[in-house]
Amino acid sequence: MPKLRLDRFLSNQTPLSRTEAIREIKRGNVTVDGVIQKQPSFCLETEKQTVMLSGKEITYKEHIYLVMNKPKGVVCAARDKLSKTVLDIIPEKYHRKDLSTVGRLDKDTTGLLILTDDGDFAHKCISPKKMVPKKYIVTLDNSITDDDIAAFSDGITLADGTNCMPATLKRLNDRQAEVTIFEGKYHQIKRMFGVRNLGVNALRRVSIGLLNLPEKLPLGEVIEVNFDELAEKTINFSQN
């Protein structure tokens, strides 16, 4: 059973920095099992004792895993001076110090986005070596051709000379297509279509590995997911 100093527990489980956690403890705003605890060094049995911060219970979780249906107009960053970030729009109860996105979606791209404070999982999920497929629905300004499909399958070379891994391109209708990539270079899909003289009007990610965007999850909303199920559908799936 994990044991942590009280100040470290609070800084791990909330957006508070270590200094801010110590300040809250010394102000008498933290209780352990109903008793005010003013010692930041107090050794806490994380799964046996109840911690309250300003009247709100703080439940211990080693890591948190969230799935978002990212809306258009927000950026995948911790903070931004000009735009709202995905961290700005998630409920306060999910805020944790090291919470960040697993990879990035462009500001005008919508759809499936994973957020976590588990850096090891995030690294494995976005590493090209893991070959985790990411599937998108793209709306274009013109129709794709058989030559476009073949070029994606061979691997697109971007305008700056960067080589992309082979990708799958599938025609859905006159102006829509499904594209699956195994990496995540900067503006990659838009740049790949740009090489083929096709403009991207809309882009939505619908799956990562076997993890699909929940059909009933509204834009801008998040749900908490179980690590075992998440890993089985993403980083473990890639090794099968």
Side-chain angles (χ1 to χ4, degrees), residues 124-135 165 180-183 207-211 233-239:
K124 290 177 180 177
C125 198
I126 65 176
S127 171
K129 294 180 180 179
K130 286 289 183 178
M131 292 293 289
V132 180
K134 288 89 173 173
K135 185 183 296 182
M165 296 172 64
T180 302
I181 61 174
F182 298 88
E183 52 193 338
S207 68
I208 299 173
L210 294 178
L211 179 69
K233 291 181 176 180
T234 54
I235 58 177
N236 293 340
F237 156 76
S238 70
Q239 298 171 355

Side-chain angles (χ1 to χ4, degrees), residues 125-171:
C125 198
I126 65 176
S127 171
K129 294 180 180 179
K130 286 289 183 178
M131 292 293 289
V132 180
K134 288 89 173 173
K135 185 183 296 182
Y136 298 76
I137 302 299
V138 57
T139 302
L140 302 162
D141 62 1
N142 214 329
S143 301
I144 63 171
T145 65
D146 290 343
D147 286 344
D148 295 325
I149 293 173
F152 270 62
S153 180
D154 290 339
I156 295 286
T157 299
L158 302 178
D160 64 359
T162 300
N163 293 318
C164 295
M165 296 172 64
T168 302
L169 180 60
K170 178 181 177 182
R171 187 184 295 107

Side-chain angles (χ1 to χ4, degrees), residues 13-15 56 61 64 66 90-96 222 224:
Q13 304 298 306
T14 74
K56 294 182 180 180
K61 295 177 183 177
I64 192 170
L66 305 173
I90 66 171
E92 185 179 354
K93 65 180 179 179
Y94 295 128
H95 286 193
R96 296 177 73 146
V222 297
E224 187 172 357

Side-chain angles (χ1 to χ4, degrees), residues 2-231:
K3 291 185 178 182
L4 286 175
R5 284 174 53 115
L6 184 57
D7 56 349
R8 184 176 294 277
F9 170 85
L10 287 174
S11 65
N12 286 350
Q13 304 298 306
T14 74
L16 296 176
S17 68
R18 190 81 172 273
T19 300
E20 290 168 336
I22 291 172
R23 185 181 303 125
E24 291 298 315
I25 294 167
K26 290 186 174 182
R27 285 176 175 173
N29 293 332
V30 179
T31 63
V32 178
D33 292 337
V35 179
I36 293 175
Q37 178 54 254
K38 291 189 175 184
Q39 294 299 319
S41 61
F42 177 81
C43 189
L44 182 72
E45 295 187 52
T46 55
E47 294 178 4
K48 288 183 64 176
Q49 295 176 284
T50 301
V51 178
M52 305 282 285
L53 171 62
S54 299
K56 294 182 180 180
E57 183 174 354
I58 309 299
T59 303
Y60 175 77
K61 295 177 183 177
E62 183 177 7
H63 295 296
I64 192 170
Y65 305 88
L66 305 173
V67 165
M68 171 182 280
N69 187 357
K70 178 189 172 296
K72 189 174 181 178
V74 297
V75 297
C76 292
R79 56 183 61 87
D80 189 276
K81 293 181 178 179
L82 301 177
S83 304
K84 279 189 175 182
T85 74
V86 292
L87 298 184
D88 290 331
I89 64 173
I90 66 171
E92 185 179 354
K93 65 180 179 179
Y94 295 128
H95 286 193
R96 296 177 73 146
K97 184 179 65 174
D98 295 324
L99 186 66
S100 61
T101 62
V102 178
R104 292 173 180 265
L105 292 178
D106 298 340
K107 183 177 181 179
D108 57 355
T109 299
T110 64
L112 179 61
L113 183 67
I114 301 172
L115 300 97
T116 185
D117 58 349
D118 184 346
D120 182 62
F121 167 81
H123 173 74
K124 290 177 180 177
C125 198
I126 65 176
S127 171
K129 294 180 180 179
K130 286 289 183 178
M131 292 293 289
V132 180
K134 288 89 173 173
K135 185 183 296 182
Y136 298 76
I137 302 299
V138 57
T139 302
L140 302 162
D141 62 1
N142 214 329
S143 301
I144 63 171
T145 65
D146 290 343
D147 286 344
D148 295 325
I149 293 173
F152 270 62
S153 180
D154 290 339
I156 295 286
T157 299
L158 302 178
D160 64 359
T162 300
N163 293 318
C164 295
M165 296 172 64
T168 302
L169 180 60
K170 178 181 177 182
R171 187 184 295 107
L172 297 180
N173 57 47
D174 187 46
R175 296 292 175 90
Q176 274 198 326
E178 177 186 282
V179 58
T180 302
I181 61 174
F182 298 88
E183 52 193 338
K185 294 180 171 60
Y186 181 71
H187 292 316
Q188 180 176 341
I189 291 179
K190 294 175 183 177
R191 294 165 69 196
M192 291 168 72
F193 279 109
V195 170
R196 303 299 302 172
N197 296 313
L198 291 165
V200 173
N201 293 334
L203 187 61
R204 177 167 62 100
R205 183 158 66 189
V206 295
S207 68
I208 299 173
L210 294 178
L211 179 69
N212 296 317
L213 177 66
E215 291 183 5
K216 296 183 179 181
L217 184 63
L219 279 168
E221 298 294 319
V222 297
I223 55 172
E224 187 172 357
V225 293
N226 175 272
F227 169 76
D228 290 335
E229 181 181 359
L230 181 64

